[in-house]
Amino acid sequence: MRYFLAVAFLLVPSLLTGTTFDTIIRSTEETSVQAEQARLRYESGLISIEQAEIEDGTSYSVSMAVSPLENRSRIISVSDLSFTATLPDDDTSITASIPFSISYDGSGALVSPSASVSHVFDWGLDDDNLKTLQNASSRISVDKEYSSDLLSLRMSVINAVSQILSNEKSLLEEEEALRDLEREMESALRLGLMTESSLAYLEAKLTIRRSEDRIDILNMEKDELAERYRNLTGLEWDGVEAIPDPVFPDLSVSVSSVLEAADLYARIAEEQYQLELSRQNPRRLTIGAAAGGSAYMGDDLGKAGIEAGNSISVSGEAGWEGREWSFGISGGGTWDEDYSFYPELTISGRWRNNTASKSDELTLRTLQNESIMRRSEYLDQKRSFEEESNDLWGRVISWRRSWAELEAETEYSNAMLENARIRLERGLARQEDLHDAQHEVMLLDYDRNILLLEGLSLEAEIAMHIL
């Protein structure tokens, strides 16, 4: 009876009371250093992605340059006062500027305003799609790393709890074995089958001593496991309860983020190849226009104005750039003080043969090979994923089979316990028979909790597989 009470006391923390499994996991995620580091890495990754996803907006700039002491302090000159705006979109960019200058000598001022606008049409590929693919790849990587860190932490907790339960079960079995050894020795002495001076008695004492040593070792191991558990979860070990049933996803329809990432890598490599091909074969049209003039404002608007060069000018340009040909045309004219018009026209062109440089050819071949290799890697990973899925699903089936067998065995043991209790009440069984039945049920309770934890570990492993 002494050993039964000791065993029952040992079982109370883990089987009758204890911390719920969900509470243990929550405490670990809230207090562990590993979880905090995972959250910081995740937040840093999201910030980097957000920075990369920021699109260029309209940019503005204003500049000014003033010379207040020009020409021996007789002239004040504003040589630069301009405003510039750049408006980007998917394929074009527009730049507009409005600069002008002013010179004032005390009696009048020379004002020289101007304005210009330019627009670039680019029919080649831009890097917007590449950036989108790269950002998507980064997001998958960041999410996967964070989820993987949390799953690894969860598996560590499961392993820690499982080790403690296995230790307690072993301790329970060893305590029961010691009890049986001492009972057998006492019975043999009482029946005269051995004496305290016999060799059989010495052998029995040695066996008992070895059993006691194993119990001491198991107790030391339990203290060490409890310390590891405390460092990991921030909780004192007082048993575990409400271990949930594992939920296994259907691997036949699961899609891994690893495959999504591999597909993105292949698409990124293909996009880089197409971008380089577009760079080596440009198709770009640039158009622009400008207007300006100068006017003297003062008492002498005649001769002074002519000398100052009162005028109005306009100009425009257009240019095409291709792989072999590029040409441009620009022209305009100026109206002077007498309203005389002086036109200007410039035509330019360039031709080069269609032979790509050796460096360009090697760059294209390298990028093309990279694209093919990435696509091949995707197919290899898809095949490996399917093979690992089949292996994991086989382990799920094996676990379910073990669980069904354990449930049947538990049902049988509970029935035997109830039968022993009834028979004891009717005087048809001994107290020892009831103790043995209770001991068997207790061991099966441990087996049940340990098998549940193995199922949760397998569930986490599958979740990591399909990340």
Side-chain angles (χ1 to χ4, degrees), residues 230-248:
R230 179 167 52 252
N231 292 335
L232 179 63
T233 66
L235 299 170
E236 295 292 335
W237 171 253
D238 62 349
V240 59
E241 63 180 16
I243 301 177
D245 294 332
V247 179
F248 303 111

Side-chain angles (χ1 to χ4, degrees), residues 228-439:
R228 293 181 188 175
Y229 172 84
R230 179 167 52 252
N231 292 335
L232 179 63
T233 66
L235 299 170
E236 295 292 335
W237 171 253
D238 62 349
V240 59
E241 63 180 16
I243 301 177
D245 294 332
V247 179
F248 303 111
D250 186 355
L251 287 170
S252 63
V253 297
S254 298
V255 179
S256 171
S257 64
V258 174
L259 295 182
E260 293 179 1
D263 180 58
L264 282 173
Y265 293 152
R267 292 167 61 188
I268 287 171
E270 174 63 21
E271 189 71 16
Q272 289 173 331
Y273 168 73
Q274 294 296 335
L275 278 172
E276 178 62 21
L277 191 63
S278 177
R279 185 192 69 79
Q280 295 185 22
N281 296 273
R283 291 185 301 162
R284 191 176 299 111
L285 174 65
T286 302
I287 60 174
S294 62
Y296 185 79
M297 303 175 65
D299 295 335
D300 188 354
L301 296 180
K303 180 179 179 181
I306 295 175
E307 291 176 352
N310 290 349
S311 64
I312 299 175
S313 64
V314 294
S315 64
E317 63 176 355
W320 167 262
E321 180 184 0
R323 179 173 178 81
E324 298 179 53
W325 291 92
S326 63
F327 60 86
I329 181 170
S330 62
T334 302
W335 286 270
D336 62 13
E337 186 70 21
D338 295 329
Y339 303 103
S340 299
F341 180 70
Y342 302 92
E344 296 178 356
L345 179 65
T346 302
I347 300 174
S348 62
R350 187 189 68 174
W351 173 87
R352 66 174 182 175
N353 63 12
N354 196 26
T355 303
S357 68
K358 189 67 175 178
S359 176
D360 287 346
E361 288 182 357
L362 291 175
T363 300
L364 277 179
R365 285 171 56 187
T366 299
L367 292 175
Q368 189 175 36
N369 290 339
E370 177 75 11
S371 176
I372 295 172
M373 183 177 66
R374 289 294 187 181
R375 183 54 58 183
S376 176
E377 289 175 352
Y378 166 74
L379 296 176
D380 287 342
Q381 291 202 13
K382 184 177 181 181
R383 183 165 49 252
S384 297
F385 175 79
E386 292 171 352
E387 292 174 354
E388 292 175 10
S389 296
N390 291 334
D391 178 67
L392 287 169
W393 192 245
R395 291 169 58 188
V396 169
I397 294 174
S398 177
W399 183 90
R400 286 175 172 168
R401 185 182 298 113
S402 298
W403 181 255
E405 294 173 354
L406 181 60
E407 289 285 270
E409 188 177 357
T410 300
E411 183 179 357
Y412 173 78
S413 295
N414 285 326
M416 292 297 294
L417 175 60
E418 183 62 24
N419 180 266
R421 188 175 289 113
I422 294 173
R423 292 176 64 225
L424 181 63
E425 291 174 354
R426 296 178 179 177
L428 301 176
R430 301 171 303 162
Q431 182 69 39
E432 195 67 31
D433 296 329
L434 178 62
H435 169 78
D436 291 341
Q438 290 173 327
H439 177 73

Side-chain angles (χ1 to χ4, degrees), residues 3-235:
Y3 291 102
F4 172 72
L5 292 176
V7 171
F9 178 77
L10 173 66
L11 289 172
V12 166
S14 59
L15 297 182
L16 301 180
T17 62
T19 307
T20 64
F21 179 80
D22 289 342
T23 300
I24 295 173
I25 294 296
R26 185 167 56 253
S27 175
T28 303
E29 293 179 349
E30 291 175 353
T31 62
S32 73
V33 176
Q34 297 94 317
E36 180 64 20
Q37 291 174 342
R39 282 191 289 270
L40 292 174
R41 286 194 298 269
Y42 182 62
E43 291 175 3
S44 296
L46 291 181
I47 291 173
S48 298
I49 293 172
E50 185 177 354
Q51 289 175 333
E53 289 178 342
I54 296 176
E55 297 183 356
D56 295 333
T58 303
S59 61
Y60 306 95
S61 65
V62 178
S63 62
M64 180 177 181
V66 180
S67 301
L69 302 176
E70 192 173 285
N71 195 7
R72 298 183 181 180
S73 303
R74 291 195 300 237
I75 295 178
I76 299 175
S77 174
V78 179
S79 57
D80 178 27
L81 179 59
S82 64
F83 168 82
T84 301
T86 301
L87 313 173
D89 60 26
D90 289 342
D91 299 304
T92 64
S93 62
I94 301 174
T95 301
S97 62
I98 308 175
F100 63 91
S101 60
I102 305 172
S103 295
Y104 180 70
D105 62 0
S107 61
L110 178 64
V111 181
S112 303
S114 65
S116 65
V117 62
S118 65
H119 196 171
V120 179
F121 297 92
D122 193 342
W123 285 278
L125 290 180
D126 56 35
D127 62 353
D128 288 348
N129 189 44
L130 177 62
K131 289 180 179 178
T132 299
L133 293 174
Q134 289 173 334
N135 291 336
S137 176
S138 298
R139 184 170 293 277
I140 287 177
S141 178
V142 169
D143 290 341
K144 174 181 169 60
E145 182 181 8
Y146 182 59
S147 298
S148 179
D149 288 340
L150 294 183
L151 284 171
S152 295
L153 189 60
R154 181 183 180 90
M155 293 175 71
S156 297
V157 174
I158 292 172
N159 183 59
V161 174
S162 181
Q163 284 182 330
I164 294 178
L165 293 181
S166 297
N167 170 271
E168 289 184 347
K169 180 189 174 185
S170 297
L171 190 56
L172 174 63
E173 291 174 323
E174 197 60 49
E175 289 273 9
E176 184 69 10
L178 176 60
R179 174 183 179 276
D180 291 341
L181 288 171
E182 291 181 339
R183 185 180 59 184
E184 290 172 2
M185 187 181 70
E186 291 173 359
S187 177
L189 288 171
R190 186 172 59 254
L191 296 174
L193 299 177
M194 70 170 63
T195 63
E196 293 185 357
S197 60
S198 65
L199 183 60
Y201 177 80
L202 295 177
E203 290 178 349
K205 290 290 288 185
L206 178 60
T207 303
I208 290 174
R209 179 56 185 272
R210 288 173 176 171
S211 179
E212 291 172 342
D213 289 342
R214 286 193 292 270
I215 290 173
D216 291 339
I217 292 173
L218 286 170
N219 278 317
M220 288 188 292
E221 183 185 61
K222 182 180 180 180
D223 292 339
E224 181 180 351
L225 292 173
E227 179 66 21
R228 293 181 188 175
Y229 172 84
R230 179 167 52 252
N231 292 335
L232 179 63
T233 66
L235 299 170

